[in-house]
Amino acid sequence: MQAFDVVIVGAGAAGMMCAAQAGRRGRSVLIVDHAQAPGEKIRISGGGRCNFTNLDARPAAFLSQNPRFCISALRRYTQQDFIAAVDARGIAWHEKTLGQLFCDGSSKQIIEMLVDDLKAAGAQLRLGLSVDRVSRMGEGFEVAFSDGSVARCASLVVATGGKSIPKMGATGWAYDIARQFGVRVVETRPALVPLTFEVGALERIKPLAGVSVDAVVAHGKTRFAEGMLFTHRGLSGPSILQISSYWREGEAIEIDMAPGTDVFEALKAAKASSPRQALHTALGHLVPSRLADLLAAEAGARGNLADTPDKTLRAVGEAVNRWRIKPVGSEGYRTAEVTLGGIDTRDLSSTTMAVNEVPGLHFIGEAVDVTGWLGGYNFQWAWSSGWAAGQAV
Ligand code: FDA
């Protein structure tokens, strides 16, 4: 039996940040992970370059039943704080787009920084170890591990993330522990995930698989202007991943595939200036040619623009600027970048991430019902919430 001030389960982004902070404060820390390597999601993130934060990280970019919950942690440990840590380590980075910061080199640099930080702070990292049992012991906890060892601690931090990508070791363990201790869990669902279509709609877009367009994708008043990709199953790309966090089964999304261009007006102008042009040619100046070919064929436009009634041009314009489609589902946790929902923030302190009714038990990172947009926001939440718990344990 070993005794620690703090046991952290999950050596991902949030857990490692918390371990380093707690260690620096003089706490004895054990951090365990059932994976053979720490920070596996960091490693594969951002195409191997880790989109580690966003210059514009602010509470409005996070979804939660309680949108105010994330404010405290995000204010106390900001994107500028993490950038300062990255700079101090000498990791070169760049802004790709929309405030998204990526390593110039490799996401492994971020993992190495976090592992070095927690070790320098005296924390013990043990890999390939899962938890068999957690019990309350007086004011602390007893944690039994898969190798038969047992640790006692005053603070137990659950940093096991969400359910996305089970083949990378994601589990619902955080929710199980929550239930064990009577902590409420907001229903979870895959988010930042490609959306899928029913057979008929798929048949229609089949020729477009692989085509990408700049798009504005809207769900009610929420809209994202980013790239969109046609796939064999439906739609993907940043704008679709973003809207997937807001969309629910049975609802439609509206897509503008030529943002900033009124396609009907543009086609009418083309008809006036170049009446002998074919519709698909004129449309091909506004959207990718495979999409233009499909829409022109669907419009039944034969001959040139001069022979195409304005009514047809208007219908094509609508199809480009206001495509309404009801996805049937999503690709699920298999490909989702994050999990929406999770530990109910009503039961947590926003300053310490501790469970109000179970002092010493903390939940951080993606396990909590705080989900960021695509673009470095989710790592910022992991850093900020991990940091906040690290000050309190
Ligand atoms: P995280 O999932 O990182 O860590 C949890 C750890 O707990 C894992 O190491 C896991 O092995 C361990 N664990 C789970 N269950 C356990 C158990 N029962 N016992 C022991 N250990 C257990 N975000 C972003 O901001 N920028 C980006 O570029 C990307 N890119 C990206 C790409 C892909 C493909 C995915 C899937 C996700 C992203 N994300 C992202 C999201 C980001 O990876 C995610 O939000 C954070 O990693 C969450 O950090 P956590 O520490 O909470 O969980």
Side-chain angles (χ1 to χ4, degrees):
M1 170 89 67
Q2 268 191 295
F4 295 89
D5 294 323
V6 188
V7 169
I8 301 169
V9 185
M16 289 198 280
M17 170 60 85
C18 181
Q21 292 302 321
R24 275 181 208 164
R25 291 177 48 248
R27 301 291 185 265
S28 58
V29 179
L30 171 67
I31 174 167
V32 302
D33 201 296
H34 65 176
Q36 296 300 333
E40 280 292 88
K41 277 198 186 156
I42 301 176
R43 185 176 59 77
I44 60 156
S45 68
R49 292 224 164 100
C50 187
N51 177 193
F52 56 80
T53 193
N54 193 295
L55 289 175
D56 198 25
R58 68 206 131 89
F62 293 84
L63 291 85
S64 171
Q65 298 278 314
N66 174 5
R68 301 187 57 78
F69 181 82
C70 61
I71 294 175
S72 168
L74 290 173
R75 274 212 190 124
R76 286 159 65 225
Y77 189 85
T78 67
Q79 56 272 45
Q80 296 305 335
D81 291 320
F82 194 76
I83 295 167
V86 167
D87 285 342
R89 175 81 181 187
I91 299 174
W93 52 268
H94 61 279
E95 179 185 348
K96 195 168 170 190
T97 175
L98 301 170
Q100 302 167 4
L101 305 191
F102 287 74
C103 298
D104 288 357
S106 157
S107 50
K108 288 186 192 147
Q109 295 171 287
I110 300 288
I111 302 174
E112 283 160 13
M113 174 181 90
L114 294 165
V115 171
D116 287 352
D117 279 358
L118 71 86
K119 287 190 173 161
Q124 251 187 62
L125 171 64
R126 291 178 67 192
L127 299 167
L129 203 62
S130 53
V131 177
D132 283 347
R133 182 177 44 81
V134 173
S135 343
R136 190 75 161 146
M137 282 286 160
E139 304 220 315
F141 302 88
E142 193 175 273
V143 187
F145 297 107
S146 49
D147 64 352
S149 64
V150 177
R152 282 217 173 150
C153 56
S155 301
L156 176 66
V157 182
V158 180
T160 49
K163 292 188 196 170
S164 17
I165 324 237
K167 80 166 193 265
M168 292 199 65
T171 64
W173 193 76
Y175 319 126
D176 298 341
I177 287 295
R179 289 188 191 99
Q180 179 186 335
F181 286 95
V183 177
R184 289 172 283 188
V185 176
V186 174
E187 192 184 347
T188 58
R189 58 183 281 126
L192 300 184
V193 63
L195 297 175
T196 54
F197 288 0
E198 48 87 17
V199 180
L202 267 189
E203 194 55 37
R204 177 182 172 236
I205 63 159
K206 210 170 166 184
L208 301 179
V211 169
S212 60
V213 283
D214 282 333
V216 173
V217 180
H219 173 267
K221 288 197 175 124
T222 308
R223 56 191 54 230
F224 291 95
E226 287 182 65
M228 182 181 90
L229 176 72
F230 289 88
T231 73
H232 291 288
R233 296 195 182 89
L235 292 173
S236 185
S239 58
I240 293 294
L241 299 190
Q242 298 278 34
I243 218 71
S244 73
S245 300
Y246 295 84
W247 172 83
R248 294 294 178 271
E249 284 74 9
E251 296 175 348
I253 54 175
E254 190 171 290
I255 303 171
D256 181 352
M257 294 182 283
T261 304
D262 183 327
V263 169
F264 169 55
E265 290 300 334
L267 290 175
K268 250 188 8 180
K271 183 174 171 177
S273 62
S274 322
R276 301 171 83 84
Q277 228 184 136
L279 172 59
H280 68 90
T281 310
L283 196 52
H285 295 305
L286 307 171
V287 296
S289 56
R290 270 156 73 191
L291 178 59
D293 291 349
L294 178 91
L295 294 174
E298 282 181 350
R302 284 180 206 92
N304 52 36
L305 281 176
D307 304 324
T308 310
D310 281 2
K311 199 173 137 207
T312 304
L313 299 185
R314 188 183 291 280
V316 171
E318 285 284 307
V320 175
N321 287 133
R322 270 175 294 280
W323 179 28
R324 269 179 74 79
I325 174 93
K326 269 192 194 175
V328 278
S330 80
E331 290 190 6
Y333 290 115
R334 191 178 57 80
T335 60
E337 279 203 13
V338 286
T339 302
L340 201 65
I343 308 306
D344 194 325
T345 58
R346 284 178 299 177
D347 290 342
L348 299 182
S349 151
S350 61
T351 2
T352 64
M353 303 291 139
V355 175
N356 300 323
E357 301 296 327
V358 189
L361 178 62
H362 300 246
F363 289 89
I364 57 175
E366 197 183 315
V368 179
D369 172 32
V370 173
T371 307
W373 288 349
L374 184 81
Y377 297 93
N378 285 295
F379 278 136
Q380 187 57 45
W381 170 246
W383 316 135
S384 298
S385 59
W387 184 93
Q391 310 311 306
V393 286

